[in-house]
Amino acid sequence: MSDARVDRETVRAEEIAAEQRYLNVLYGKLDDLRAETTQRLKATLRDSGGPPQARTERDISTRMYTDKLTQLSAVEHGLCFGRLDLDSGETFRVGRLGLFDEDNEYEPLLLDWRAPAARPFYLATAAARDGVRRRRHLKTSWRKVLDYEDEILDLDAAEQGSDLGLAGEATLLARLDARRTGQMQDIVSTIQAEQDRIIRAGMNGVLVVQGGPGTGKTAVALHRAAYLLYTFREQLSKRGVLVVGPNPTFLHYIGQVLPSLGETGVLLSTVGGLYPGITATATESARTAEIKGRADMTGVLTAAVRDRQQVPRDHVEVTFDREPLFLKRKDATAARTRARRTRRPHNLARRVFQDEMYRSLTLQVGERLGLELLDRRDLDEINAELRGDPAVAGALDELWPEMTPHRLLDELLSSPERLATATAKVLADDERDALLRPAGAPWTPADVPLLDELAELLGEDDAAARAEQERQEREELAYAQGVLHIMEQDEEIADEERLRVSDVLDAELLAERFRTRSDLSAAERAAEDRTWTFGHVIVDEAQELSEMAWRVLMRRCPSRSMTLVGDVAQTSALGGTSSWDAVLSPYVQDRWKLAELTVNYRTPAEIMDVAAEVLSDMDTDLEPPRSVRTTGNPPWSQQIATEDLVSELPQVVSEELAEVEDGRLAVLMPPELLTEIGPRLAESLPEAVVGTRPDDLESPVVLLTVDEAKGLEFDAVLLVRPEAVTEESDRGLNDLYVALTRATQRLGIVHCDDLPPSLARSFE
């Protein structure tokens, strides 16, 4: 071994040892913070009882310390991942959260990756160094430093780097080559410049992030959520951030990313999960879901509501006080017209309709008794007796019933007659038939936007509840005023206790603190409240949303502070979009910004070349993203007769799994084929599961449809019967494009008939 090599290895060992010593300091600080927070949480939990203010403060403290402990635990792995050496001689470490030395004027020990001072770690280049002399990427395993990669930012070094301008190229490629685990990993240590610019973009307005497969769209969206909460915490902590994903499996896949970035107060949901109390997991045909997702359904639902506002053909007879009363068509029509003119939701306008009808019935009874003999008090007594009569109330309920969204939608979709009335001139007969289902059928994800729309159209007559709430608020305000008066006058109360109250501006604010569920975070309160509006909304796979789903999300974010992430070339839902302008113009016109991700980090060039052929056959002008790496594993194809699939496919799967060792293999196939052979295939492969549950992603082999694999990634993908994928859907090429780009290492194709033309060109 040459002396020069020995010297280099010695220097490297010394550098690793120095980094290890510093990392020990950081973990020591982290342990101290955990111990301190744990003690404070225990002390808070022991402090029970007391007046409402004390209980409120205890709940707030419990929530704060619990969230802090969750955050401190989530950053255990990869606490520090980088270092900046500046021209000034200063050195900063960059990591998952900020740590400070309280004994040295709060000198930063570790910069939070979101802090402005840490941004050069992601953006500095040889051409624009921003004062950075050296950037170091640390490779660690839990609390141990394994190695490092240095970038000296001078022009000579830059000429030797990647033509894509990758920061920390060796670290990035090592991360990309690592085996998948069934859980999405954060990219905080390897964020690239084009990703950083999107992550740190301003919060106002709608930002659309268009990116092809493997460009890190999802990771960028989640890191953006963490960045916005860090930078705009005051604005967002009260209203929260909503992250919307395409399905529960996807949410499980990304579930650990935000905690690892130091954030726990984000609500993760599908569109189908945004209606409290509804579990919308039933399935239906893609065509039925597409029909439900059309904007025309707003007119259908409006008509369905109006259909429940009836008038008699002639009259309805009821018995009151042993005498007949008549609900006349003329009176009911006038009452309905007046109620509708208020433009109130159905259940609120119902009160106007009933008031008018009770007034008409009161006059009818009065005429029988002799109006000239009655005064206002007599008429009021008659009106009250009518309102208390079950027969009269029941008859009026038949004309204008109080409805819930659940009841109205269920009755609409299970009644051919009601559907025919509501969908007249909107849907064709076969489309109407596609919506019909049995009464009481379980809810599907496409039902949730319809329920949400109906909740807006119906409203809730909460007059009695509001009156009770106002009474309680008056009592709480009086109590709060008394608390403040006692605290101000009692000389035995210590000054520090008096100061705890002095931050309360007035009794109304103190009463509000008594009322608020302080033990819940903003995200948890939002999950229980359909009308909650968020400070920012992030949507992944946004191209898949239907027109009705967009209406739901826009109601959840009236400020239009949104980040929409997707790829119109990967749209598979029949109700999805191929144009961002088409979905956004009804809400923000042209006031939205487009950012593009152009570098493919996940899909190796060998696989992307195959996918690019498919993209070229699609009706789009999008270019495939540029892959940063090759693997030396060319995609392969094999033909198996249809009748031999069940017997021969297990051997093919086993051989492919052996190639990825401890990695994850996805077997993707059309839905009908998965239903037909999936269970039998799983029985013959001990490592395999049919992926219907989120935890299934952690299995060595998972059998999925292409739609279920959207947004996920695997070490290897085996695509079965691609010819059926393209034939069974109007967006078959889009589905094929998605399937081909899920793999990070290997791609195999098993077909029974001729390959689709775009694939055949790649395997000629």
Side-chain angles (χ1 to χ4, degrees):
M1 184 182 297
S2 67
D3 292 342
R5 182 175 178 183
V6 171
D7 289 343
R8 286 197 299 271
E9 290 184 356
T10 300
V11 169
R12 195 165 195 86
E14 291 174 350
E15 286 289 315
I16 291 175
E19 293 293 352
Q20 184 65 61
R21 288 192 294 272
Y22 197 90
L23 192 64
N24 292 341
V25 172
L26 295 179
Y27 275 106
K29 182 65 178 176
L30 183 67
D31 290 340
D32 290 343
L33 287 173
R34 284 176 179 162
E36 179 185 345
T37 306
T38 299
Q39 289 302 315
R40 291 186 175 182
L41 177 59
K42 289 179 178 178
T44 300
L45 293 174
R46 285 195 299 265
D47 182 17
S48 60
Q53 182 190 3
R55 294 197 299 270
T56 298
E57 291 176 350
R58 184 187 65 245
D59 291 342
I60 293 172
S61 296
T62 299
R63 162 62 61 182
M64 179 180 66
Y65 294 139
T66 301
D67 286 349
K68 185 67 173 177
L69 275 179
T70 302
Q71 179 193 55
L72 295 174
S73 297
V75 300
E76 171 71 25
H77 183 52
L79 173 63
C80 176
F81 51 76
R83 170 176 143 182
L84 287 173
D85 295 348
L86 307 183
D87 292 338
S88 63
E90 294 177 290
T91 296
F92 294 106
R93 265 74 174 189
V94 180
R96 295 179 179 276
L97 83 171
L99 295 176
F100 301 90
D101 184 358
E102 293 91 339
D103 298 330
N104 190 18
E105 298 182 349
Y106 282 85
E107 190 73 19
L109 297 172
L110 184 66
L111 289 179
D112 191 302
W113 67 275
R114 298 166 289 187
R119 194 172 191 190
F121 184 78
Y122 302 108
L123 291 186
T125 65
R129 295 193 297 115
D130 200 13
V132 177
R133 178 176 58 84
R134 174 170 61 183
R135 172 169 49 209
R136 172 169 290 180
H137 296 263
L138 296 178
K139 181 181 180 182
T140 63
S141 177
W142 297 103
R143 298 192 173 199
K144 183 177 178 59
V145 178
L146 301 179
D147 206 349
Y148 65 87
E149 174 201 358
D150 277 348
E151 293 178 276
I152 307 300
L153 298 184
D154 58 57
L155 292 177
D156 292 335
E159 290 171 359
Q160 301 168 10
S162 166
D163 63 348
L164 292 175
L166 302 178
E169 183 171 357
T171 302
L172 172 63
L173 294 179
R175 183 73 174 273
L176 296 174
D177 287 333
R179 297 302 185 205
R180 305 301 102 174
T181 65
Q183 288 276 339
M184 183 179 179
Q185 304 298 310
D186 64 65
I187 61 168
V188 62
S189 62
T190 58
I191 293 171
Q192 298 300 303
E194 73 169 6
Q195 296 172 327
D196 185 84
R197 282 189 284 271
I198 294 171
I199 290 169
R200 297 177 192 261
M203 188 178 73
N204 294 333
V206 177
L207 174 66
V208 175
V209 183
Q210 163 70 39
T215 54
K217 300 184 297 296
T218 299
V220 166
L222 296 174
H223 287 67
R224 177 159 169 75
Y227 169 77
L228 292 176
L229 282 165
Y230 174 87
T231 307
F232 304 100
R233 191 167 300 279
E234 184 175 350
Q235 298 98 308
L236 294 177
S237 60
K238 295 179 181 179
R239 303 310 309 172
V241 173
L242 170 66
V243 174
V244 177
N247 53 57
T249 301
F250 177 83
L251 296 182
H252 175 80
Y253 177 64
I254 69 173
Q256 293 304 310
V257 174
L258 283 165
S260 74
L261 298 174
E263 293 299 342
T264 57
V266 176
L267 178 62
L268 301 179
S269 180
T270 62
V271 172
L274 288 178
Y275 200 104
I278 290 293
T279 302
T281 57
T283 59
E284 61 191 345
S285 71
R287 183 166 182 263
T288 300
E290 183 272 326
I291 296 170
K292 290 180 179 179
R294 296 177 191 173
D296 288 343
M297 289 300 294
T298 59
V300 171
L301 297 177
T302 299
V305 171
R306 292 175 69 89
D307 185 48
R308 308 312 289 263
Q309 301 165 359
Q310 296 290 313
V311 297
R313 290 187 176 181
D314 181 29
H315 66 267
V316 173
E317 181 178 328
V318 295
T319 300
F320 173 71
D321 198 19
R322 291 177 292 184
E323 294 287 340
L325 275 181
F326 300 98
L327 279 64
K328 300 176 182 177
R329 178 181 178 85
K330 178 186 68 174
D331 295 337
T333 300
R336 184 176 66 176
T337 299
R338 181 163 184 178
R340 287 177 173 176
R341 283 177 177 171
T342 65
R343 298 187 179 277
R344 297 176 186 174
H346 171 90
N347 289 330
L348 277 66
R350 174 175 177 268
R351 181 180 294 271
V352 177
F353 174 81
Q354 289 187 327
D355 287 346
E356 289 295 305
M357 290 303 296
Y358 279 122
R359 186 180 64 83
S360 298
L361 293 173
T362 298
L363 291 176
Q364 195 175 139
V365 173
E367 288 173 353
R368 182 188 305 158
L369 298 175
L371 275 176
E372 68 279 2
L373 303 176
L374 305 176
D375 57 19
R376 171 55 58 185
R377 182 179 300 176
D378 296 326
L379 293 176
D380 289 343
E381 289 179 358
I382 295 172
N383 190 288
E385 290 177 8
L386 284 167
R387 291 176 182 273
D389 188 280
V392 176
L396 291 180
D397 281 342
E398 286 292 319
L399 297 179
W400 193 302
E402 184 172 11
M403 302 293 295
T404 66
H406 314 67
R407 174 187 165 190
L408 194 150
L409 186 60
D410 184 58
E411 292 179 357
L412 173 67
L413 298 181
S414 61
S415 168
E417 295 78 17
R418 292 192 186 281
L419 260 181
T421 299
T423 61
K425 301 181 181 180
V426 177
L427 298 181
D429 290 346
D430 61 326
E431 293 174 326
R432 188 178 306 124
D433 292 341
L435 293 180
L436 273 173
R437 66 185 189 192
W443 301 114
T444 70
D447 289 328
V448 168
L450 305 184
L451 290 169
D452 199 75
E453 191 76 25
L454 282 173
E456 296 291 315
L457 292 171
L458 293 174
E460 182 180 358
D461 189 357
D462 58 353
R466 282 189 289 107
E468 174 61 19
Q469 181 180 350
E470 289 171 1
R471 184 192 66 76
Q472 292 180 0
E473 288 178 358
R474 287 194 296 270
E475 292 182 357
E476 289 162 353
L477 179 59
Y479 178 82
Q481 290 170 334
V483 169
L484 288 178
H485 180 72
I486 292 172
M487 295 291 284
E488 291 169 357
Q489 300 299 319
D490 194 338
E491 297 180 356
E492 295 183 2
I493 295 178
D495 290 340
E496 58 267 24
E497 290 295 319
R498 211 182 306 276
L499 287 173
R500 290 170 63 186
V501 181
S502 66
D503 69 337
V504 180
L505 299 179
D506 53 32
E508 289 186 0
L509 182 55
L510 180 57
E512 175 65 25
R513 290 176 66 180
F514 293 160
R515 285 193 297 272
T516 302
R517 288 278 311 275
S518 55
D519 59 319
L520 298 180
S521 67
E524 290 168 331
R525 295 199 301 275
E528 297 178 355
D529 185 355
R530 188 197 67 83
T531 63
W532 188 274
T533 57
F534 292 88
H536 193 80
V537 171
I538 295 176
V539 186
D540 199 7
E541 302 292 349
Q543 77 278 355
E544 303 293 342
L545 295 186
S546 69
E547 292 171 314
M548 291 301 293
W550 280 113
R551 290 177 64 85
V552 175
L553 292 181
M554 291 299 173
R555 277 195 285 269
R556 298 297 188 275
C557 192
S559 67
R560 304 294 189 260
S561 176
M562 308 179 83
T563 303
L564 312 176
V565 178
D567 178 15
V568 292
Q570 296 187 63
T571 304
S572 59
L574 296 182
T577 186
S578 58
S579 166
W580 295 117
D581 185 65
V583 297
L584 293 176
S585 59
Y587 303 101
V588 295
Q589 288 79 47
D590 60 352
R591 298 189 301 275
W592 55 276
K593 296 174 288 187
L594 176 68
E596 295 189 72
L597 293 169
T598 60
V599 179
N600 188 333
Y601 303 98
R602 176 181 66 225
T603 315
E606 296 92 339
I607 296 176
M608 201 61 218
D609 289 343
V610 177
E613 288 292 333
V614 176
L615 184 65
S616 68
D617 284 358
M618 294 164 56
D619 184 19
T620 178
D621 56 1
L622 294 174
E623 294 291 329
R626 300 168 293 166
S627 296
V628 302
R629 65 195 177 103
T630 60
T631 61
N633 299 318
W636 56 268
S637 69
Q638 177 180 345
Q639 187 166 9
I640 298 177
T642 304
E643 61 270 17
D644 296 330
L645 266 182
V646 175
S647 60
E648 295 187 22
L649 200 54
Q651 180 63 30
V652 177
V653 173
S654 297
E655 292 174 357
E656 193 64 13
L657 183 61
E659 293 290 338
V660 294
E661 297 179 354
D662 295 328
R664 300 292 185 272
L665 168 65
V667 182
L668 307 184
M669 59 184 73
E672 290 185 7
L673 184 63
L674 182 62
T675 301
E676 178 185 347
I677 73 170
R680 285 185 287 166
L681 194 60
E683 287 179 5
S684 62
L685 291 165
E687 309 93 338
V689 296
V690 178
T692 56
R693 299 168 304 174
D695 290 343
D696 291 339
L697 294 180
E698 299 174 15
S699 300
V701 181
V702 59
L703 282 62
L704 300 165
T705 67
V706 176
D707 186 60
E708 290 170 337
K710 184 176 287 291
L712 309 180
E713 59 183 42
F714 307 89
D715 296 286
V717 165
L718 188 63
L719 175 58
V720 181
R721 295 215 65 201
E723 65 274 23
V725 170
T726 59
E727 292 169 359
E728 291 182 9
S729 168
D730 291 342
R731 296 186 183 269
L733 286 177
N734 300 65
D735 291 340
L736 184 58
Y737 187 61
V738 170
L740 296 173
T741 54
R742 299 304 95 197
T744 66
Q745 300 292 334
R746 298 177 58 84
L747 172 67
I749 294 174
V750 172
H751 58 105
C752 299
D753 302 317
D754 291 339
L755 287 170
S758 53
L759 279 185
R761 292 197 298 269
S762 297
F763 294 101
E764 290 175 348

